[in-house]
């Protein structure tokens, strides 16, 4: 049996730097050291029959973290993920249906299905070198109506979207993906759990009062002002 490469044996988890960044005072994120802007494409499956908004956001949250804790994140995906996590963990959500949705399944990433809603998070890379399969997909144009997803399951980690901030489903998908990654990094998770995503004032206030909460503060590139807390997350109890 051949020996594993030495560098693979000493690699820290790809999310370790993100966990360190968010374990103390609010993170100050420097510009990318090499000047290359990177992002994770998050593809939302939106067919003519629209999926439930909350379930789609839950799938996006789980998928974003799943890419980072997948066994390939310590192998062939490591360099791409590590370079991305070292800077801003930008995500760009796009929508796909039919043959376009089928095509993105061929790209490196993880697809998650929640209650019939599907999202696929892809391996991050430079924003100016996106595969054509992805670049042809629309970023905006279709939103989903609010829904009533019901009580939070006991086994689900919870992400609450700021009820005072209006975001498109694409923007919200990126934000809950940030939240799942930060929570997973801080907690040292090696698997991506089920998430419940809600937009509720009472839950929002309850989460902000908890000591184990992690918050996403937006950089202000799109839709919201810089520093806006877009969502908060806590692990399942």
């Amino acid at each position: 049996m051949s020996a594993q490469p030495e560098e693979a044996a000493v690699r820290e988890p790809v999310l370790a730097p993100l966990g360190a960044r968010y374990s103390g005072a609010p993170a100050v994120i420097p510009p990318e050291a090499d000047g290359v802007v990177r992002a994770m494409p998050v593809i939302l499956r939106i067919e003519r029959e629209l999926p439930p908004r909350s379930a789609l956001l839950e799938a996006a949250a789980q998928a974003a973290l799943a890419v980072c804790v997948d066994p390939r994140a310590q192998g062939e995906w490591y360099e791409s993920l590590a370079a991305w996590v070292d800077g801003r963990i930008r995500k760009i959500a796009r929508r796909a249906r039919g043959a376009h949705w089928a095509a993105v399944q061929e790209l490196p990433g993880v697809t998650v299905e929640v209650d019939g809603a599907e999202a696929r998070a892809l391996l991050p890379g430079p924003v100016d070198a996106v595969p054509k399969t992805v670049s042809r997909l629309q970023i905006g144009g279709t939103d989903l109506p609010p829904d009533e997803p019901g009580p939070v399951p006991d086994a689900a980690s919870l992400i609450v979207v700021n009820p005072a901030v209006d975001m498109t489903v694409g923007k919200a998908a990126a934000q809950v993906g940030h939240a799942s990654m930060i929570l997973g990094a801080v907690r040292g998770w090696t698997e991506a759990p089920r998430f419940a995503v809600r937009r509720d004032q009472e839950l929002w206030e309850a989460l902000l009062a908890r000591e184990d909460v992690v918050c996403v503060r937006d950089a202000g590139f799109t839709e919201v002002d810089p520093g806006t807390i877009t969502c908060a997350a806590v692990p399942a109890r």
Side-chain angles (χ1 to χ4, degrees):
M1 181 180 296
S2 60
Q4 294 293 319
E6 183 176 352
E7 64 268 19
V10 299
R11 284 174 171 169
E12 66 177 358
V14 73
L15 287 179
L18 187 66
R21 186 187 301 166
Y22 282 91
S23 293
V28 177
I29 307 172
E32 286 76 9
D34 58 4
V36 178
V37 177
R38 298 176 175 84
M40 169 185 276
V42 179
I43 314 303
L44 309 176
R45 186 177 188 180
I46 302 179
E47 301 284 351
R48 294 186 184 279
E49 183 176 347
L50 300 179
R53 183 185 180 100
S54 295
L56 187 62
L57 294 179
E58 290 167 2
Q62 187 175 344
L65 176 57
V67 170
C68 301
V69 295
D70 187 280
R72 290 166 289 185
Q74 294 302 111
E76 63 264 39
W77 291 358
Y78 186 85
E79 298 301 332
S80 294
L81 285 166
W84 174 61
V85 169
D86 190 51
R88 298 185 184 276
I89 54 170
R90 291 178 173 90
K91 297 177 181 69
I92 298 177
R94 298 173 185 265
R95 59 188 179 92
R97 69 184 184 192
H100 288 174
W101 171 252
V104 299
Q105 305 306 306
E106 303 300 319
L107 299 175
V110 176
T111 296
V112 171
E113 183 270 331
V114 175
D115 296 337
E118 293 181 272
R120 183 171 180 81
L122 302 179
L123 192 63
V127 297
D128 60 357
V130 177
K132 186 176 180 180
T133 305
V134 175
S135 65
R136 68 187 179 186
L137 302 177
Q138 291 187 359
I139 295 176
T142 297
D143 207 356
L144 301 176
D147 59 354
E148 298 291 339
V152 176
D154 290 338
S157 294
L158 177 61
I159 301 173
V160 179
V161 178
N162 189 338
V165 177
D166 291 326
M167 292 181 282
T168 63
V169 69
K171 178 70 172 181
Q175 299 305 299
V176 299
H178 297 341
S180 68
M181 279 184 57
I182 296 169
L183 185 61
V186 169
R187 307 293 295 189
W189 288 341
T190 57
E191 295 182 354
R194 169 76 185 263
F195 289 92
V197 174
R198 300 292 185 267
R199 188 173 186 262
D200 177 272
Q201 185 65 38
E202 186 175 346
L203 284 174
W204 177 254
E205 293 174 1
L207 254 64
L208 293 185
R210 286 178 54 169
E211 293 184 356
D212 58 349
V213 68
V214 299
C215 295
V216 177
R217 289 176 171 81
D218 194 70
F221 295 123
T222 60
E223 295 194 26
V224 301
D225 294 330
T228 300
I229 299 178
T230 55
C231 51
V234 292
R237 293 199 174 191

